[in-house]
Amino acid sequence: MNGAPRLAALRGRLAEEKVDAFLVTDPVNVAYVTGFDGVFDSEPASACLVTPGAATVYTDFRYAEALKAQASSSGWSVVVVAGPLNVRVCEDVAAAGLGVLGVESSVPYGRFKYLSEHLEGRVLAADEWVERVRSVKTADELERIAAAAELADEAMAHGIALVAPGRTEREVAIEIEVHLLRAGSEGVPFPPIVAAGPNAARPHARPSDRRMGRGEPVIIDLGARVGGYCSDLTRTVVAGTADGRVRELYAATLAAQEAGLAAVRAGVAAKDADAVAREVLGARGLAEAFGHGLGHGVGLEVHELPSMGARSREVLAAGMVVTVEPGVYLPAWGGVRIEDLVAVEEGGCRLLSRAPKELAET
Ligand code: ZN
Ligand code: ZN
């Protein structure tokens, strides 16, 4: 993927903040800033040093060959480090006479301490510099996310067909994961959640060996990964036939989700979109039951900026990809959540999730 605009955005930030160099160490951010596909993994073994005139990527032997193959025509210099990465970065920063170094606030304390103690200049936290750039997607990124959303839709249909009284959550979760992998997902961004009955009252429940009871709501939350980019999708179905209580809570959640979707567009404060959905549930006496935010950004990671909750400071912009996922959770009874993935556009949002939303009884 073309990393040049990303580099330009970071250099703009360097100038704005009067920082001489920016050190990127978060593995996902390293992959993003360079734009190199399939080189880095989740190990914090590589780093990027960005200055107004140079861009250097440091790595070790394990990644050297793959990295050099992609870096040759990119403008990035590659430094293969045999010893500790911190030491080499400090040497280079000192040799270049760089005064102020920005580091990510997620940098481990030990590394921050080392850099602070060994550099003559100042080290400061450059909070969310890369994450903010990441939050707005290019057409190429949107295509990858849409492809991941399509795989999620298919896996959801497969999972829903398996829900039945007497089946365990774990059985369905395993089938969903196998289906995702067979269909081409690059691993899974998170283990699928299948939560029935009382377990569905826990938004991040782990699938258990408990058998689904007749009439219980079952929350299925899953995602796929394509070209490095994630999707995220939730549906709630009923094992057997829904009773009045399930129908009522499902209708309330769906109304909140539709109101949330209608509120999402470029220029809207993320917290205002959250408030619109929250109000729908509040009017039905369910404010307390909706204990998390309306949604979150999705991209290289399944949870990234912008966050869309009551305390969010972000303003939605065209090109952002967010989930819209209100839920109601009643301890000991269960829960309902409906989650779609959307691309924010001027004047509205485009649904990337296509899974049906009528209450399915299996
Ligand atoms: Zn989800
Ligand atoms: Zn989500």
Side-chain angles (χ1 to χ4, degrees):
M1 214 175 269
N2 180 11
R6 302 167 180 184
L7 210 46
L10 290 179
R11 285 184 170 138
R13 196 72 194 265
L14 283 176
E16 250 171 57
E17 311 276 344
K18 300 188 170 41
V19 170
D20 299 313
F22 179 39
L23 182 66
V24 183
T25 48
D26 175 89
V28 178
N29 287 345
V30 167
Y32 178 81
V33 168
T34 58
F36 303 151
D37 281 324
V39 174
F40 306 104
D41 52 27
S42 59
E43 252 195 80
S46 306
C48 300
L49 186 66
V50 178
T51 70
T56 310
V57 53
Y58 299 83
T59 195
D60 67 36
F61 175 80
R62 294 169 295 170
Y63 307 90
E65 196 192 330
L67 179 55
K68 282 177 183 164
Q70 290 202 39
S72 58
S73 56
S74 68
W76 282 87
S77 321
V78 174
V79 175
V80 180
V81 183
L85 198 134
N86 292 340
V87 177
R88 178 59 195 260
V89 168
C90 281
E91 285 170 5
D92 287 3
V93 170
L98 300 167
V100 185
L101 177 69
V103 299
E104 298 178 292
S105 60
S106 61
V107 71
Y109 178 67
R111 179 172 270 176
F112 181 79
K113 194 161 174 277
Y114 183 91
L115 293 169
S116 307
E117 287 171 1
H118 289 79
L119 286 175
E120 294 210 345
R122 208 151 57 86
V123 178
L124 52 82
D127 203 18
E128 296 179 346
W129 282 20
V130 182
E131 286 82 353
R132 279 178 196 277
V133 182
R134 269 173 54 189
S135 70
V136 177
K137 273 71 181 176
T138 60
D140 185 5
E141 290 174 298
L142 287 171
E143 259 173 46
R144 296 182 191 208
I145 296 170
E150 202 177 321
L151 286 192
D153 287 338
E154 291 166 17
M156 183 61 77
H158 183 74
I160 288 172
L162 294 170
V163 168
R167 269 255 160 72
T168 71
E169 297 166 345
R170 201 192 304 273
E171 281 164 6
V172 177
I174 290 170
E175 285 297 325
I176 288 172
E177 188 159 343
V178 169
H179 184 91
L180 282 165
L181 297 176
R182 286 225 171 94
S185 179
E186 299 149 5
V188 284
F190 59 93
I193 295 171
V194 177
N199 289 348
R202 302 170 180 175
H204 278 198
R206 298 235 183 110
S208 74
D209 288 320
R210 183 182 169 279
R211 297 195 180 279
M212 297 171 186
R214 198 164 289 280
E216 282 181 353
V218 183
I219 292 179
I220 302 180
D221 189 345
L222 59 87
R225 193 189 291 274
V226 174
Y229 286 77
C230 305
S231 59
D232 192 6
L233 173 72
T234 304
R235 288 292 181 265
T236 303
V237 299
V238 176
T241 312
D243 64 14
R245 183 79 173 130
V246 176
R247 285 182 194 288
E248 185 191 318
L249 291 170
Y250 192 88
T253 308
L254 185 56
Q257 209 249 355
E258 281 168 350
L261 287 172
V264 169
R265 63 178 173 276
V268 166
K271 68 173 167 47
D272 291 344
D274 175 272
V276 166
R278 206 163 289 285
E279 217 174 279
V280 173
L281 290 171
R284 290 165 164 82
L286 293 166
E288 297 284 304
F290 177 26
H292 57 68
L294 179 63
H296 53 86
V298 174
L300 286 170
E301 288 178 295
V302 75
H303 290 119
E304 56 180 54
L305 293 182
S307 70
M308 207 158 49
R311 284 182 295 275
S312 297
R313 287 164 298 156
E314 292 101 329
V315 173
L316 300 176
M320 286 180 170
V321 172
V322 295
T323 65
V324 177
E325 51 173 312
V328 294
Y329 309 94
L330 303 176
W333 179 80
V336 174
R337 179 167 68 253
I338 303 170
E339 172 180 38
D340 280 329
L341 193 58
V342 304
V344 180
E345 297 183 337
E346 301 295 342
C349 69
R350 180 164 56 93
L351 270 176
L352 302 175
S353 308
R354 302 254 155 78
K357 284 192 273 194
E358 301 84 51
L359 179 58
E361 297 162 293
T362 65

